[in-house]
Amino acid sequence: MRDARYDILFEPVAIGPHVAKNRFYQVPHCNGGGYRDPSAAAAMRGIKSEGGWGVIFTEQTEMHHTSEITPFIELRLWEDKDIPGLRRMSDAMKVHGALAGIQLAYSGINGPNFYTKEVPLAPSALPIRTFTNDPVQARALDRTDIKDLRRWFVNAAKRSKIAGFDLICLYGAHGFGIFQHFLSRATNQRTDEYGGSLENRSRFAREVVADIRDAVGDTTAITMRVSLDETIGELGFSNAEVRDFVEMNADLPDLWDLAHGAWEDCSGPSRFKEEGAQEILVKGIRELSSRPVVGVGRFTSPDVMARMIRQGILDFIGCARPSIADPFLPKKIEEGRIEDIRECIGCNMCITGDMTMSISRCTQNPTFMEEWRKGWHPERMNEKGDSRTVLVVGAGPAGLEATRALALRGYDVTLAEASTTLGGRVARERLLPGLSAWGRVVDYRQYQISRRTNVETYFDSRLTAEDVLAFGFEHVAIATGSHWRRDGVARQHVVPMPIDAAMTIWTPDDVMGKVHPENLAGKTVVVYDDDHYYMGGVMAEVMAKAGATVILVTPSAYVSDWTRNTLEQGAIHVRLDDLGVDIRLNRGVTAIRAGEVETNCSYTGRRKAIGCDAVLMVASRLSEDALYNDLLARQGEWADAGIRSVKIIGDAAAPAPIAWATYAGHRYARELDTPDIGDALPFRREVTQLEPA
Ligand SMILES: Cc1cc2nc3c(=O)[nH]c(=O)nc-3n(C[C@H](O)[C@H](O)[C@H](O)COP(=O)(O)O)c2cc1C
Ligand code: SF4
């Protein structure tokens, strides 16, 4: 039973003509699938309904073809043809009693219209503002365009109603939605009745809300999502102006949905933002309106959530990432199973699905976006197959997830770990600056495993092929991880680079193992990053904090280049700059000699030496696959030893981010003892229906 402290989270709250059954509100979030994978996205929302959310939203839905954000894959509601796909989603949302919401986005100054080839329309004629600085400008909406746009919103609202949605969210946050473009002096430089004073800048929002209310307001609630602060100084829509706007238009929408700044600010990773980081910006706004307020802040602690409501800061607990990591979060609180919550680690891997137009992954929840494609449920496993015993070698993220999921299926699992702790790379990386929340990958699984009687864990067990053959387990999963290379092989160098043995070389494993002196004052360390995800930046931070003079050399044009996909690249650059790290972009390392590294320009190849005392090599990783290869070499002995299968998973198979490892562990557990599908595709997909030729 749930703790009475959390009763407040389960109170019903009215939103316009509807009542949400509780205060758990899944705010809009994309998933990389969108219009390309409608059934996968619908099933993902359906799982959240089962997990107890009171309100569930779509991602941003492009509501008219004159504004779209190709290449990013969101939803579309351009014509009646789009309704059935969206109906599938609203139906899924409502199965367990949630209210279904759709977020309507007109991207204005944020929409380059690469697909529709329409001229973008925005309050003022300015360059399109996207992640990729597209060489396109918008035309300023004239009065006729504004009338058209109002009508397009009404058309979209009517279609939303037919598609079964109870709530419509008008998007004006993160710099993405046209309502913000009208509200901000930065993007609205008009001199007519839609520009100038806040009253005038609010006019468009007031008109659209009134139009939609006339059209569908009897059955459909209208919510407005605005940024808490545009974070571009006085010219932008500041926190003070947001408050003025809400006060001036207090009862305009049926609910205020408040979300901080740019997307990078709002979905800040745990490395840079704590849980509840938006509290200060949102506090007090609720008092300016009689309408309920939803806010966000990577909420995973029910105590923090209850405090937000009790202190009158919020009416609804908005969650995107916590609902991805654990779609059953409300249900677990309701059932008094707090310790079963799979807490979001704030790594932002989920965002990369959108940024890379692939399909989203979650480090903590490997079933995310596989609910329909593979039929995976986040809380239930498929039935156990005909074998009984599994040996999992290695207790990193892949081994732990495989063990947890196999145990849930009912197998007797033996987990053998070479060290004295669970977690593998995560156990080490969680100790690095800013990464402590990543330890939840281990904590969640360790706890789940500890409660199962069908798992035995052995530490200090570095197994040989001989050992494994002697044990006689039916299945063996090799999840032995990887280690960082010392020879520089990555992208610039596909074979080892020349390295003089007189130079001290450290790898991230050395740093995590603390082989370097604690105090590096007076020493110069070159961090060579040819990995391009987070590790190079983190290593530079560790070295700087140890007192070294740090020079970060990378062949890329950005520090920690790939973290642009996790929305933290800018924050990493700022942090390193604040720490005094000397950042040298577009430079590789061609040779390491005694006392210096020879660098080269990524474009011209011109060389320059940098004197240093040590090089921290963040290159690529090597799989720890010796045990697997030894076993493969003795495949002829498996049958006699009672072994039916040996598989290598996670970093041991091919090093990748932690999310790949938990996915690999989960997949292994799901597929054990299942029929061989031969050459068939291992997931379902949707193919565009052909129109007549
Ligand atoms: C993967 C992902 C996709 C998102 N897509 C949208 C979106 O389509 N529309 C929107 O208003 N906000 C979007 N957001 C922002 C979230 O709604 C939310 O405001 C933000 O992530 C902070 O909430 P959280 O800390 O609970 O994740 C997205 C966030 C994530 C993580
Ligand atoms: S990918 Fe990371 S940030 Fe996103 S929901 Fe999962 S754990 Fe949280």
Side-chain angles (χ1 to χ4, degrees):
M1 269 311 295
R2 79 168 178 246
D3 190 318
R5 277 182 301 168
Y6 308 134
D7 285 353
I8 198 167
L9 298 171
F10 292 88
E11 291 167 349
V13 183
I15 312 175
H18 296 286
V19 177
K21 66 177 178 177
N22 61 36
R23 297 180 186 269
F24 293 93
Y25 191 114
Q26 183 243 274
V27 285
H29 71 74
C30 33
N31 45 72
Y35 65 79
R36 187 195 53 208
D37 300 287
S39 294
M44 177 268 288
R45 306 291 179 196
I47 288 289
K48 303 216 197 190
S49 183
E50 193 185 337
W53 297 85
V55 177
I56 302 172
F57 262 90
T58 61
E59 60 269 50
Q60 59 170 301
T61 306
E62 295 167 348
M63 47 70 71
H64 194 259
H65 69 274
T66 52
S67 192
E68 45 91 5
I69 58 167
T70 309
F72 303 101
I73 299 176
E74 315 299 334
L75 289 173
R76 286 178 175 162
L77 184 50
W78 292 353
E79 50 183 334
D80 290 350
K81 249 191 203 173
D82 293 310
I83 293 174
L86 287 163
R87 164 63 78 168
R88 180 165 291 186
M89 185 168 291
S90 75
D91 283 348
M93 289 167 169
K94 292 199 273 198
V95 171
H96 295 271
L99 296 179
I102 181 167
Q103 183 179 50
L104 298 184
Y106 192 87
S107 304
I109 203 70
N110 184 244
N113 293 354
F114 289 149
Y115 180 75
T116 59
K117 302 185 182 174
E118 297 286 353
V119 173
L121 296 169
S124 292
L126 287 167
I128 293 298
R129 298 157 80 87
T130 54
F131 292 113
T132 39
N133 298 320
D134 305 317
V136 181
Q137 297 200 188
R139 178 170 73 73
L141 291 147
D142 62 25
R143 284 203 178 81
T144 310
D145 297 323
I146 291 180
K147 261 198 206 137
D148 289 344
L149 182 50
R150 285 173 55 184
R151 193 179 60 256
W152 298 337
F153 265 107
V154 169
N155 292 345
K158 286 180 180 163
R159 288 192 175 113
S160 301
K161 179 176 165 175
I162 298 169
F165 290 98
D166 307 306
L167 283 73
I168 288 174
C169 169
L170 300 178
Y171 197 12
H174 306 134
F176 293 162
I178 193 134
F179 297 96
Q180 180 177 336
H181 307 155
F182 267 101
L183 286 168
S184 163
R185 273 172 302 208
T187 45
N188 179 352
Q189 299 168 15
R190 303 177 72 94
T191 51
D192 63 3
E193 68 272 27
Y194 290 96
S197 66
L198 182 59
E199 166 86 25
N200 278 359
R201 281 180 278 131
S202 315
R203 187 177 310 279
F204 179 71
R206 281 200 304 276
E207 288 177 346
V208 173
V209 172
D211 293 344
I212 294 181
R213 220 180 265 300
D214 273 355
V216 298
D218 53 333
T219 52
T220 311
I222 304 168
T223 77
M224 177 156 282
R225 186 159 230 218
V226 286
S227 272
L228 281 163
D229 189 333
E230 203 182 347
T231 61
I232 57 167
E234 280 308 294
L235 192 59
F237 195 48
S238 65
N239 191 249
E241 249 202 343
V242 173
R243 287 166 196 265
D244 292 344
F245 170 66
V246 173
E247 201 167 14
M248 187 184 285
N249 300 285
D251 296 335
L252 183 65
D254 294 309
L255 171 142
W256 290 105
D257 179 346
L258 304 170
H260 184 33
W263 192 11
E264 297 86 317
D265 304 310
C266 190
S267 301
S270 55
R271 192 169 162 193
F272 298 101
K273 296 256 162 111
E274 296 292 321
E275 178 171 0
Q278 302 185 26
E279 179 174 349
I280 182 107
L281 291 165
V282 81
K283 203 171 181 170
I285 295 185
R286 187 171 169 270
E287 285 141 38
L288 306 174
S289 159
S290 63
R291 305 303 198 201
V293 165
V294 61
V296 288
R298 217 175 60 251
F299 295 120
T300 59
S301 152
D303 288 308
V304 175
M305 297 177 194
R307 181 176 68 74
M308 290 286 157
I309 306 295
R310 215 169 277 125
Q311 293 184 348
I313 298 168
L314 301 175
D315 296 287
F316 284 98
I317 301 301
C319 293
R321 291 165 295 173
S323 76
I324 293 172
D326 197 340
F328 277 64
L329 192 149
K331 194 146 244 176
K332 287 176 183 175
I333 299 175
E334 187 168 27
E335 292 173 355
R337 297 194 292 125
I338 306 297
E339 60 293 336
D340 284 334
I341 295 173
R342 198 168 40 242
E343 287 183 283
C344 166
I345 69 167
C347 62
N348 282 2
M349 188 52 78
C350 47
I351 290 170
T352 71
D354 193 45
M355 298 296 283
T356 60
M357 305 109 214
S358 46
I359 200 151
S360 286
R361 299 175 178 260
C362 171
T363 303
Q364 277 285 60
N365 174 14
T367 68
F368 180 55
M369 291 309 286
E370 301 302 340
E371 302 86 349
W372 180 85
R373 295 206 316 167
K374 292 197 157 179
W376 290 0
H377 189 282
E379 298 298 310
R380 288 193 296 275
M381 293 295 292
N382 42 335
E383 274 190 14
K384 187 178 150 298
D386 65 356
S387 47
R388 197 171 58 81
T389 61
V390 187
L391 169 67
V392 177
V393 187
L400 280 178
E401 175 60 16
T403 302
R404 182 198 73 83
L406 284 165
L408 205 55
R409 273 187 80 186
Y411 290 92
D412 291 335
V413 189
T414 298
L415 176 61
E417 165 56 37
S419 76
T420 52
T421 46
L422 295 180
R425 61 181 285 193
V426 179
R428 297 188 293 277
E429 291 184 27
R430 72 187 300 177
L431 303 176
L432 292 170
L435 301 189
S436 63
W438 292 21
R440 292 170 174 180
V441 171
V442 182
D443 299 341
Y444 166 73
R445 291 171 175 82
Q446 183 165 5
Y447 177 72
Q448 296 301 318
I449 289 169
S450 75
R451 292 197 315 169
R452 303 218 69 97
T453 51
N454 53 342
V455 177
E456 287 197 61
T457 306
Y458 294 92
F459 294 102
D460 273 327
S461 303
R462 186 172 291 279
L463 303 183
T464 62
E466 198 61 39
D467 296 330
V468 174
L469 288 164
F471 291 147
F473 291 99
E474 290 168 276
H475 301 281
V476 183
I478 308 286
T480 37
S482 65
H483 64 269
W484 288 91
R485 296 183 77 124
R486 200 172 286 280
D487 57 9
V489 170
R491 290 164 174 100
Q492 183 184 4
H493 299 279
V494 291
V495 294
M497 71 162 96
I499 300 177
D500 190 318
M503 175 64 86
T504 301
I505 306 280
W506 294 318
T507 68
D509 291 318
D510 294 333
V511 173
M512 289 186 274
K514 299 207 184 322
V515 302
H516 61 285
E518 222 168 277
N519 184 353
L520 288 169
K523 302 284 182 208
T524 298
V525 178
V526 167
V527 176
Y528 170 53
D529 183 8
D530 200 20
D531 170 61
H532 307 287
Y533 190 21
Y534 58 92
M535 190 55 88
V538 174
M539 287 296 112
E541 186 173 342
V542 174
M543 291 292 106
K545 286 180 170 161
T549 298
V550 183
I551 303 169
L552 177 73
V553 177
T554 178
S556 170
Y558 297 89
V559 166
S560 298
D561 191 348
W562 203 76
T563 63
R564 288 188 292 156
N565 296 313
T566 49
L567 301 183
E568 58 192 324
Q569 193 277 329
I572 292 171
H573 191 113
V574 170
R575 174 158 298 176
L576 296 189
D577 197 57
D578 287 348
L579 287 166
V581 173
D582 178 352
I583 297 168
R584 312 256 179 112
L585 304 173
N586 299 315
R587 292 207 80 75
V589 170
T590 39
I592 297 176
R593 300 193 275 257
E596 65 176 32
V597 298
E598 181 188 71
T599 69
N600 68 331
C601 169
S602 300
Y603 298 104
T604 64
R606 272 184 216 115
R607 300 186 181 209
K608 219 185 255 176
I610 302 175
C612 62
D613 302 291
V615 174
L616 209 167
M617 186 76 84
V618 188
S620 61
R621 286 179 282 153
L622 276 171
S623 296
E624 300 278 6
D625 53 6
L627 174 61
Y628 177 69
N629 289 331
D630 289 350
L631 282 167
L632 270 193
R634 297 174 68 174
Q635 195 157 3
E637 299 170 52
W638 292 4
D640 285 349
I643 294 176
R644 292 165 65 173
S645 76
V646 176
K647 281 220 161 122
I648 186 162
I649 59 172
D651 284 352
I658 299 165
W660 274 243
T662 49
Y663 177 85
H666 194 87
R667 181 176 184 179
Y668 174 81
R670 286 270 174 191
E671 292 180 355
L672 192 74
D673 281 338
T674 57
D676 184 354
I677 61 164
D679 292 343
L681 196 68
F683 57 88
R684 288 207 285 169
R685 66 192 268 262
E686 272 162 337
V687 177
T688 308
Q689 185 188 313
L690 288 179
E691 291 289 319

